[in-house]
Amino acid sequence: MNYMRRSSSCSSFIYPANMITMVAFLIILSTGSGADASIGVNFGTLANNLPPPRQVAEFLLHSTVINRIRLFDADPQILQAFAHTGVAVTVTVSNDQIPHLTNLSFAQRWISDHIQPHFPSTNIIRILVGNEVISTGNHLLIRNLVPAMQSLHTALVSASLHRRIQISTPHSLGILSHTTPPSSARFRQGYDKHVLKPLLSFLRTIASPFVVNPYPFFGYSPETLDFALFRPNPGLFDQDTKLHYTNMFDAQLDSVYSAMERLGFSDVAIVVGEIGWPSKGDRDQIGVDVATAAEFNRKVMDRVNSGTGTPLMPNRTFETYIFALFNENLKPGPISERNFGLFRSDLTPVYDIGILRPTARTSDPPENNRRSPVGGSSGKRWCVTKSGAETEALQRNIDYVCGLGLDCEPIIEGGPCFLPNTVEAHSAYAMNLFYQTMGRHEFDCDFDKTGEITSIDPRLVETSHLDDIHYEVYQKPKDHRNYIYIYQLQIYIKAKTI
């Protein structure tokens, strides 16, 4: 008789001896397109009162739902602090390094000095070359921007890191002209065909996103405050597309999209590199206070996680980074520049937008506690490996989950979940362990797009007659929110003697 035995301590698959079975089973996903979205924060360091990097990393990991950060440099102490946390890290090359990076030897040394000592222990996912370079008006930097990006990518290729780390560069909305209505937007003349077209072509070739920094805060007036804050307002009607805009964020993103489409690059993904609202400003500034900042950032989170997209980009999600993690007391400029932070330097929130875990308010920091997974059956959701995930990526999942101090003993040799002794099986255990321990949030099963959530307990799947089972694979329709989808997951599982 063929059957599967349920183990009380793991979600491994246990099969009769001398049998390798291809198991095709259903993964039922009730998550919307927001599962593909991700909220991160910009970790700026222009302050003299910030907590140590390791404390920041532990705080984000255990006390918040933030799983992505963007650095404005490649600070080795910060990169080391985020090792084995699984937090996705974007680093930045400073503007002054751009001319030097056009030299391949210099680019290779930069990768060797700043990336390779930390990767893969630190989950570095992207390198941004400069910051808002075109808006500087510096022709030396602008002329060398794309060659520097190409050289740095070549250096990644030579280090075999190009499939794991992306290259891009962030832009302010100063690269646009004619932004109202959004369908009329285009890139500034002179930069459109000579800089941005080759840049977008390069990004398409290497499958990297176009990064923009839309700031409704810098575009609003007293008359458009409600439009900027997602409040009820008359909105903006685009006569050309017959589309109605109810908020400035959507209008700004669609302006970027329209400009990209004019050059033939509507297929390149868009990442929101910076967006935020200050909690304090000059005495006469309207709409600059704690309540307004909380309102704006909360609504941005809701918007990008909803999966509704924008009028010109329906059902799309946008990887988004809130500016900023901390108030930075050394930033020059008006008062507002020093008050964009979600948190104060003592790690207390300036305001809460729903990113704190409930345990952060009621318990001591858990970094010294050895944690075991919450029983999956109560939530009736499990995290499993996605079909086609690369073995290297799955091994990386094992490394950083177990590196957190979570209980990986069951998949060590001699443990109840060691067999089948495959990277796929061990990764499935580790990924579900992390997902259950961290509170079963959708993003806790992302694992750089190698994980999926199922409502079917993998431990309870009967194995009788599985050799001949086939399930039809349904493709996601464009608008796939609030639906249940069926995917085919094929796993080759090594047999275990009962």
Side-chain angles (χ1 to χ4, degrees), residues 106-422:
F106 185 91
Q108 290 172 325
R109 286 197 303 273
W110 195 93
I111 295 296
S112 176
D113 292 345
H114 296 90
I115 302 299
Q116 289 181 291
H118 305 285
F119 186 87
S121 297
T122 301
N123 185 21
I124 301 171
I125 63 165
R126 188 175 297 129
I127 301 171
L128 298 181
V129 180
N131 187 47
E132 300 185 349
V133 173
I134 293 177
S135 296
T136 67
N138 185 315
H139 294 292
L140 175 64
L141 299 182
I142 295 170
R143 184 171 64 251
N144 285 291
L145 177 59
V146 175
M149 295 171 65
Q150 293 169 331
S151 180
L152 203 57
H153 178 72
T154 301
L156 286 177
V157 171
S158 65
S160 299
L161 296 177
H162 60 294
R163 297 186 185 277
R164 311 288 288 276
I165 300 175
Q166 295 179 329
I167 298 289
S168 192
T169 185
H171 307 276
S172 76
L173 295 193
I175 61 174
L176 299 176
S177 62
H178 308 291
T179 57
T180 303
S183 63
S184 69
R186 62 192 69 217
F187 293 121
R188 289 168 55 189
Q189 189 174 5
Y191 295 126
D192 51 357
K193 296 181 179 179
H194 298 292
V195 181
L196 289 162
K197 186 173 183 177
L199 189 152
L200 285 162
S201 178
F202 174 65
L203 293 177
R204 174 191 279 165
T205 300
I206 64 173
S208 287
F210 189 66
V211 182
V212 294
N213 299 336
Y215 273 99
F217 173 72
F218 293 118
Y220 87 98
S221 65
E223 293 74 28
T224 60
L225 181 60
D226 289 343
F227 187 58
L229 294 173
F230 302 86
R231 293 171 179 170
N233 66 91
L236 170 68
F237 184 72
D238 191 324
Q239 190 66 43
D240 294 332
T241 60
K242 310 302 181 187
L243 295 173
H244 184 254
Y245 289 85
T246 61
N247 65 83
M248 192 179 295
F249 178 60
D250 283 359
Q252 289 178 333
L253 285 183
D254 275 359
S255 293
V256 173
Y257 175 82
S258 295
M260 294 169 65
E261 187 177 41
R262 287 182 188 280
L263 294 182
F265 296 96
S266 59
D267 58 313
V268 175
I270 296 174
V271 164
V272 177
E274 294 179 34
I275 187 170
W277 199 280
S279 59
K280 185 178 180 181
D282 294 326
R283 189 182 300 269
D284 58 347
Q285 272 189 292
I286 298 173
V288 183
D289 52 59
V290 170
T292 304
E295 177 186 10
F296 176 81
N297 283 323
R298 187 180 299 113
K299 288 179 178 177
V300 167
M301 284 185 57
D302 292 343
R303 189 69 178 172
V304 299
N305 281 326
S306 70
T308 57
T310 68
L312 283 179
M313 295 179 285
N315 310 315
R316 281 179 63 170
T317 56
F318 303 95
E319 184 180 320
T320 299
Y321 293 80
I322 301 291
F323 187 88
L325 181 57
F326 294 112
N327 285 331
E328 299 174 76
N329 64 354
L330 297 183
K331 289 194 73 174
I335 294 173
S336 59
E337 283 293 317
R338 294 180 287 281
N339 289 278
F340 273 87
L342 300 174
F343 295 94
R344 303 179 185 90
S345 58
D346 62 358
L347 299 178
T348 59
V350 178
Y351 47 85
D352 185 8
I353 59 172
I355 60 174
L356 286 172
R357 298 184 187 274
T359 54
R361 305 183 184 92
T362 59
S363 63
D364 294 329
E367 56 265 29
N368 296 322
N369 298 332
R370 187 180 184 84
R371 301 195 289 180
S372 296
V374 177
S377 58
S378 62
K380 297 183 180 179
R381 286 160 69 93
W382 294 264
C383 180
V384 297
T385 55
K386 185 180 290 186
S387 177
E390 294 182 358
T391 300
E392 289 183 0
L394 297 181
Q395 181 61 54
R396 184 170 154 202
N397 295 345
I398 297 171
D399 292 341
Y400 77 70
V401 170
C402 298
L404 296 175
L406 301 184
D407 186 7
C408 288
E409 288 186 4
I411 56 175
I412 296 174
E413 187 170 4
C417 304
F418 176 69
L419 295 177
N421 181 21
T422 65

Side-chain angles (χ1 to χ4, degrees), residues 15-37:
Y15 290 92
N18 304 319
M19 181 177 105
I20 297 179
T21 306
M22 181 174 72
V23 179
F25 64 92
L26 303 181
I27 291 182
I28 308 297
L29 291 183
S30 58
T31 59
S33 57
D36 296 325

Side-chain angles (χ1 to χ4, degrees), residues 46-122:
L46 290 178
N48 59 10
N49 58 354
L50 298 182
R54 186 61 195 172
Q55 186 179 358
V56 175
E58 293 288 345
F59 172 72
L60 292 182
L61 180 64
H62 296 296
S63 299
T64 79
V65 299
I66 294 168
N67 64 347
R68 292 176 179 265
I69 64 167
R70 181 264 174 113
L71 306 179
F72 289 88
D73 51 26
D75 188 304
Q77 289 187 336
I78 297 178
L79 292 176
Q80 180 60 39
F82 279 89
H84 307 295
T85 64
V87 174
V89 179
T90 294
V91 301
T92 306
V93 182
S94 61
N95 286 358
D96 64 333
Q97 297 295 298
I98 290 174
H100 304 294
L101 284 172
T102 59
N103 181 286
L104 180 57
S105 296
F106 185 91
Q108 290 172 325
R109 286 197 303 273
W110 195 93
I111 295 296
S112 176
D113 292 345
H114 296 90
I115 302 299
Q116 289 181 291
H118 305 285
F119 186 87
S121 297
T122 301

